Amino acid sequence: MTAAENSDTRRKRILWRATHRGIKEMDLIVGGFAQARLTGMNEAELAALEAIIELPDQELLAWATRLEPIPREHASAVLLEMLDFQP
């Protein structure tokens, strides 16, 4: 498998996971952001998005709705951009 094929597979996997979260609101927030930004992301941004996808939906939803502050250890540039994203 070439590096381009590997990158393509990674992006497809990220997109599928971002759009199949379990909570419809998070499918829209995370999935919509991924659909809009995934192709232009560099390796570091992809890694950050993969880490975000691993977080529980309830935490992400609380941060997205501003019910809870985003913990400093999770406040990556990608997460902040995603939570401000308007499709």
Side-chain angles (χ1 to χ4, degrees), residues 3-80:
E5 289 171 335
N6 192 27
S7 179
D8 241 13
T9 301
R10 181 182 187 191
R11 290 173 198 277
K12 286 176 184 176
R13 180 178 37 80
I14 291 170
L15 182 59
W16 190 90
R17 292 184 64 210
T19 56
H20 294 82
R21 304 273 317 156
I23 295 178
K24 187 63 176 172
E25 292 83 358
M26 295 318 301
D27 289 348
L28 296 172
I29 293 170
V30 180
F33 177 76
Q35 288 174 332
R37 286 271 288 112
L38 198 58
T39 57
M41 288 183 149
N42 62 36
E43 292 298 315
E45 291 169 326
L46 289 173
L49 185 54
E50 286 172 321
I52 292 166
I53 288 171
E54 294 298 323
L55 295 168
D57 281 343
Q58 293 77 10
E59 284 182 30
L60 286 171
L61 188 57
W63 301 338
T65 57
R66 311 294 194 248
L67 292 177
E68 292 183 23
I70 301 166
R72 179 173 282 159
E73 67 270 14
H74 293 295
S76 69
V78 173
L79 178 64
L80 297 175

